């Protein structure tokens, strides 16, 4: 990116990335790099003790060219390791896992510490490292290998499996993980090296911050950068505290198979969220039909026969700016579509939901929706970025049928949009939003990135005067299943967002 005052160049090594996919038996049995603390860190070497530095990030940084690069010397060892890793996971013997081939051991350990916001003490490598050259080779070679965290109470069981697969000569204990208020990484070899995590985060995020400052919004870029550093100076400052003010029922939802209300899953060109939306409503007992706007326009479908309607999100019209308005205009400027949709919205026995692009679309249809005085429209995010994040929202007390009995809850949810900032054309702010973004203290916020689009008072959803018609920018359908969360409390066995969809069918009944 270039302008009169600044110039930014981004350089990265040419790389080949191969992706593969496979069926797995249980999606809940997975291991992430997130350290849990109170564990022992082991290194499992897959390189036959090689420490080749050619092509490494270290050599890239120092402009060193070396053709002695890491490679797979023994494919059978890799296959045997895969079988070992599966047994370790199935027997719950490891609590964190990360390969080290991209950036080397130091990068890997830092990433694991970042993910868990835990301290690491690497204090068992004295016999391997007695001078600087060995320190550099050990921490910055990108040979095949992995680091794992093993609960202290399971070390012997872990070693039993290691011995079973004859990996005892490939496995070394390197240190421990633990929890403290000011997380840090300590390396004790021929000399002691200490870094606080917030110092490393400052370096880690600096390039991204500089790029964002030039490419996006300088103010929000700085807000995010400073936030990353400050909240991790002390572990107590950053504690995620979601809460549900209603019972999270782990029992199977009972469905009345004899009487399934019908819902239209409405979409337009480019929409891609219809399947997950249908899945959520099917699971709580609705009979869902996939309806394109053209089906209604061409009179192939009578939308008035449906009990509910939901307009979905996901790149309508290729997600060009103003796509939601374009979708709405297709309805507003077609006399038949406009009349039939108006009849649907005015029928007090029916309900409607708009999410993401569907939210934008319904906001522009407010003139034909009763009780939507002072609904906003949605404009470009303040960050000038497409925001795809797990965020936290507070559910406010409103008449929305979808949030009945959920007010006061603080829940994680997915956002994925480029135009989610509320804008009130008459300048009168509607503070009675259905849900609002909150920060790590669970307070409504305008601060980025907790508020990903800059909406005033964190507002990100609204309902009409009788609560039948609700519009939301976040995606509750993308967290309907507990396995869809990238993070959630360990004690949750089902998603609290199931109640959101179940409320719709309860209202009809």
């Amino acid at each position: 990116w270039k302008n009169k005052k600044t110039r930014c160049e981004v350089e990265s090594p040419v790389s080949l990335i191969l992706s593969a996919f496979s069926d797995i038996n249980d999606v809940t049995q997975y291991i992430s790099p997130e350290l849990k603390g109170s564990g022992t860190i082991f290194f499992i070497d897959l390189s036959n003790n090689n420490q080749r530095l050619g092509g490494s990030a270290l050599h890239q940084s120092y402009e060193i060219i070396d053709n002695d690069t890491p490679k797979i010397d023994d494919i059978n060892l890799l296959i045997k390791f895969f079988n070992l890793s599966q047994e370790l996971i199935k027997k719950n013997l490891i609590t964190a896992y990360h390969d080290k081939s991209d950036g080397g051991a130091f990068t890997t350990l830092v990433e694991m510490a970042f993910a868990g916001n835990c301290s690491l003490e690497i204090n068992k490598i004295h016999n391997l490292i007695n001078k600087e050259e060995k320190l550099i080779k050990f921490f910055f070679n990108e040979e095949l290998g992995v680091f794992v965290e093993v609960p202290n109470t399971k070390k012997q069981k872990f070693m039993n499996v290691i011995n079973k697969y004859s990996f005892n000569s490939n496995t070394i204990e390197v240190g421990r993980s633990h929890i403290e208020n000011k997380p840090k990484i300590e390396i004790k070899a021929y000399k002691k090296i200490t870094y606080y995590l917030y110092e490393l985060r400052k370096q880690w995020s600096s390039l991204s911050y500089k790029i964002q400052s030039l490419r996006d919004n300088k103010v929000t870029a700085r807000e995010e950068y400073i936030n990353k550093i400050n909240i991790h100076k002390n572990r107590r400052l950053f504690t995620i505290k979601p809460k549900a003010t209603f019972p999270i029922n782990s029992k199977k939802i009972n469905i009345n198979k004899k009487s399934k209300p019908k819902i239209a899953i409405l979409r337009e060109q480019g929409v891609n969220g219809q399947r997950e939306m249908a899945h959520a409503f099917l699971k709580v007992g609705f009979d869902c039909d996939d309806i394109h706007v053209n089906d209604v326009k061409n009179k192939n479908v009578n939308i008035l026969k449906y009990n509910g309607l939901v307009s979905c999100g996901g790149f309508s019209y290729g997600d060009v700016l103003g796509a939601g308005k374009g979708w709405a205009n297709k309805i507003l400027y077609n006399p038949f579509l406009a009349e039939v949709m108006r009849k649907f919205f005015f029928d007090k026995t029916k309900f409607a939901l708009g999410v993401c692009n569907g939210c934008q679309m319904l906001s522009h249809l407010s003139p034909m929706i009763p009780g939507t005085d002072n609904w906003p429209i949605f404009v470009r995010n303040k960050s000038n970025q497409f925001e795809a994040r797990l965020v936290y929202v507070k559910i406010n007390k409103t008449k929305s049928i979808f949030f009945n009995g959920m007010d006061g809850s603080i829940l994680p949810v997915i956002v994925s949009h480029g135009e989610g900032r509320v804008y009130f054309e008459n300048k009168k702010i509607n503070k009675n939003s259905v849900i609002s973004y909150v920060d790590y203290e669970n307070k409504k916020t305008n601060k980025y990135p907790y508020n990903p689009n800059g909406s005033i008072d964190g507002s990100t959803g609204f309902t009409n005067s009788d609560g039948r018609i609700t519009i939301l920018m976040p995606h509750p359908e993308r967290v309907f299943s507990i396995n869809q969360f990238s993070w959630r409390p360990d004690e949750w066995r089902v998603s609290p967002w199931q109640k959101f969809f179940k409320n719709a069918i309860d209202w009809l009944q």
Side-chain angles (χ1 to χ4, degrees), residues 439-491:
D439 61 17
Y440 62 92
E441 293 182 316
N442 288 346
K443 296 178 180 177
K444 295 180 183 180
T445 184
N446 295 327
K447 290 287 186 180
Y448 183 81
Y450 304 106
N451 181 332
N453 47 48
S455 296
I456 192 163
D457 293 326
S459 302
T460 187
F462 299 85
T463 193
N464 74 325
S465 57
D466 61 12
R468 292 183 301 109
I469 302 166
T470 298
I471 55 175
L472 304 171
M473 282 312 299
H475 288 268
E477 78 280 9
R478 294 186 181 177
V479 281
F480 176 84
S481 166
I482 196 66
N483 297 320
Q484 290 175 289
F485 285 89
S486 58
W487 181 91
R488 40 84 175 177
D490 293 336
E491 63 269 20

Side-chain angles (χ1 to χ4, degrees), residues 350-395:
K350 302 182 186 299
F351 70 87
L353 172 68
V355 170
C356 196
N357 284 140
C359 166
Q360 296 167 350
M361 185 271 282
L362 287 187
S363 73
H364 285 285
L365 293 186
S366 61
M368 64 170 62
I369 301 175
T372 59
D373 295 341
N374 206 27
W375 261 17
I377 59 173
F378 295 84
V379 297
R380 193 170 185 179
N381 297 337
K382 184 179 178 182
S383 66
N384 290 331
Q385 284 196 124
F386 181 89
E387 296 292 340
R389 300 174 181 267
L390 185 75
V391 298
Y392 285 83
V393 292
K394 180 176 183 179
I395 299 171

Side-chain angles (χ1 to χ4, degrees), residues 31 56 58 74 470:
I31 301 295
S56 64
L58 180 77
D74 184 353
T470 298

